[in-house]
Amino acid sequence: MRPALWLRRSRAVSTLRRGVWDDNPVYRQILGICSTLAVTNLLVNTVVMGLGLIFATAMSCWTVSLLRNVTPKRVRMMAQVLIIASYVILVDLALKAYLPEISEALGPYVGLIITNCIIMGRCEAFAAKNPPGLAFLDGLGCAVGYTLVLLAIAFFRELLGFGTLFGYPVLPERVTLWTIMAMPPGAFFMLGLAIWFFRTIQKPREA
Amino acid sequence: MRIQERPWYPVVFMVVLSAVFGAAVSTVEVLSLPRQQAGEQARLRARVLQAFGVDAPTDPVALAGVWKARVAEGRDEVGPYYALRERGRVKGYAFPFEAPGFWGAIFGVVAVDDRAETILGISFLRHEETPGLGGRISEAWFRDQFRGKSLEVRDGRVLEFVFRKPRGPREVEAITGATQTSNRLGRFLNEFLAGLPQRPVFRRKGSG
């Protein structure tokens, strides 16, 4: 009884950790890049996008896993897209009703969570073969990993591009702002640096 | 033969799955619709008041109160307008517009005084301009420049959009780094503002 519980728990922990750190979707798998580039110019947008993705990914993985034994193999991808789209639309509706300003700032990118490769990837690679609890944790871990990298990128983009953090001015007036950080090219540079940075500090683990 | 191996099973599975998730999403949509519409309406009202230079309360009930007490919605042959009342008379009119931007349409409201002589203010409802660049049109420093500008047309223009500190009374500082947003919005506003005094709502007033 005890070893089994311990084993299960450690599997849960390692599943979570794999998504957040070891196998992070952004800097290890290079997935979800579209939204990484699009929504990281302001921290507030990034936080909401991250929460939306966390909800959609964890719930989609859980549902796909729950239905894994009754889903016919031939139509499994159709079923996955249907499930993912439903959860994403729920996020979109909630934002429109309760956070209209942010919903507007994020524009089409909330709807585009549906096509985020991270969700489909986790559903197909993990949730379709594992029990619901673990699938939920796997989705949660990957989405949290994605969100943390995005927050790191958004921190520097907002700070350098706008001189603010979460909308509060933190840089003195005389500092020249880096306009490029507010624009899409700034996201490319920051993403490249982030991938280099995380892979470098991760190296000792691989050896 | 297991049920999952029957040829009709995938079809039935997808139909049932679609029905369940479709019903769930539709239910949430219908339930949240009043809230979405209320939010949209409150936004429009707040922006119209902002264009008039009236403080819009953030509380929805207070906002509805201010709106009911001071704003009348009307429509002339050209389109809808909003009239602001102050001490029993109309202080000005606000007109919604849809201007071309860099990435997409810019929706906004411009308010002018009751004789269509000066601009009371401008506000933006929706746009898709780059945040931090063209998106700065909705910041206060940009909007506030329009207040009190004359609607008089000179050299075919009402306003001059300049990429430096404004010097003349007709000049508005455009946004550096957002040349396209500034130019397109400027060109549209010049045409739109020049046409405002000819709106039927002002003509009726003059003849009556």
Side-chain angles (χ1 to χ4, degrees):
Chain A
M1 182 75 196
R2 270 185 78 133
L5 186 68
W6 174 83
L7 200 70
R8 256 186 297 161
R9 215 182 259 162
S10 85
R11 232 194 129 189
V13 172
S14 71
T15 302
L16 253 181
R17 213 193 70 175
R18 203 184 48 229
V20 177
W21 182 254
D22 302 337
D23 227 356
N24 183 290
V26 181
Y27 63 81
R28 287 248 62 114
Q29 306 177 50
I30 320 290
L31 291 179
I33 297 309
C34 215
S35 50
T36 305
L37 299 174
V39 302
T40 50
N41 53 12
L42 292 172
L43 277 165
V44 176
N45 294 354
T46 311
V47 168
V48 175
M49 183 71 181
L51 291 177
L53 193 98
I54 289 170
F55 171 82
T57 311
M59 291 308 292
S60 300
C61 286
W62 179 76
T63 313
V64 166
S65 165
L66 211 60
L67 297 172
R68 72 189 188 285
N69 293 327
V70 292
T71 309
K73 285 280 163 289
R74 262 177 298 169
V75 296
R76 70 183 192 287
M77 288 207 162
M78 257 206 288
Q80 286 166 9
V81 173
L82 180 80
I83 292 164
I84 295 166
S86 303
Y87 284 116
V88 173
I89 293 169
L90 288 184
V91 172
D92 199 29
L93 288 176
L95 284 181
K96 278 200 182 110
Y98 294 94
L99 296 168
E101 301 276 320
I102 289 176
S103 162
E104 230 179 277
L106 291 176
Y109 294 106
V110 175
L112 285 175
I113 294 178
I114 297 172
T115 58
N116 192 313
C117 311
I118 297 172
I119 312 192
M120 192 83 185
R122 289 337 287 170
C123 286
E124 187 55 13
F126 195 90
K129 298 165 199 146
N130 289 285
L134 270 184
F136 181 87
L137 286 177
D138 176 69
L140 185 75
C142 281
V144 168
Y146 162 91
T147 307
L148 290 177
V149 175
L150 258 68
L151 283 174
I153 294 175
F155 175 86
F156 289 105
R157 285 188 69 193
E158 185 174 340
L159 184 71
L160 298 173
F162 296 87
T164 59
L165 288 177
F166 286 104
Y168 293 103
V170 287
L171 288 184
E173 286 269 322
R174 62 194 151 75
V175 175
T176 306
L177 298 176
W178 302 12
T179 305
I180 196 167
M181 279 299 171
M183 297 169 69
F188 272 105
F189 291 125
M190 281 310 301
L191 177 65
L193 287 172
I195 292 173
W196 167 76
F197 174 78
F198 285 113
R199 288 198 172 196
T200 304
I201 59 172
Q202 228 183 16
K203 254 189 191 145
R205 287 182 186 282
E206 279 172 15
Chain B
M1 199 168 174
R2 284 170 66 225
I3 187 166
Q4 266 118 313
E5 286 156 25
R6 303 226 178 240
W8 48 261
Y9 179 76
V11 179
V12 173
F13 177 83
M14 279 313 292
V15 169
V16 172
L17 197 69
S18 308
V20 171
F21 278 89
V25 169
S26 309
T27 310
V28 174
E29 161 93 57
V30 169
L31 290 179
S32 68
L33 203 59
R35 235 199 120 87
Q36 286 183 42
Q37 286 168 341
E40 202 112 307
Q41 192 188 44
R43 251 178 74 75
L44 173 74
R45 290 177 169 186
R47 292 302 150 89
V48 170
L49 289 174
Q50 189 181 55
F52 276 126
V54 175
D55 285 329
T58 41
D59 173 57
V61 181
L63 179 69
V66 172
W67 183 264
K68 203 166 165 235
R70 302 199 55 186
V71 183
E73 297 176 40
R75 174 176 276 279
D76 63 13
E77 285 83 340
V78 184
Y81 63 83
Y82 305 93
L84 180 79
R85 282 190 300 267
E86 198 170 85
R87 292 187 208 93
R89 54 177 281 269
V90 173
K91 191 192 171 201
Y93 296 94
F95 303 90
F97 64 81
E98 182 186 335
F102 185 41
W103 297 111
I106 299 172
F107 295 87
V109 180
V110 63
V112 298
D113 71 327
D114 64 321
R115 288 150 76 172
E117 284 170 354
T118 53
I119 300 172
L120 295 177
I122 192 168
S123 67
F124 298 97
L125 266 170
R126 250 192 351 257
H127 66 76
E128 289 159 38
E129 303 310 291
T130 320
L133 295 172
R136 298 185 68 197
I137 53 170
S138 33
E139 288 179 12
W141 71 268
F142 183 76
R143 287 186 281 109
D144 288 345
Q145 302 185 87
F146 291 83
R147 276 186 213 294
K149 288 264 185 292
S150 165
L151 274 176
E152 195 191 336
V153 182
R154 214 180 290 165
D155 307 329
R157 283 192 295 272
V158 177
L159 302 166
E160 302 279 350
F161 283 76
V162 295
F163 290 91
R164 52 169 164 76
K165 284 276 166 253
R167 294 188 200 121
R170 292 152 44 80
E171 290 186 344
V172 170
E173 190 183 345
I175 299 167
T176 316
T179 313
Q180 286 305 316
T181 306
S182 303
N183 287 349
R184 288 173 202 200
L185 182 68
R187 218 176 303 140
F188 170 85
L189 278 179
N190 266 315
E191 204 174 303
F192 186 74
L193 292 169
L196 278 186
Q198 277 86 54
R199 286 282 291 249
V201 60
F202 294 110
R203 281 215 304 272
R204 262 203 301 270
K205 221 177 131 68
S207 61

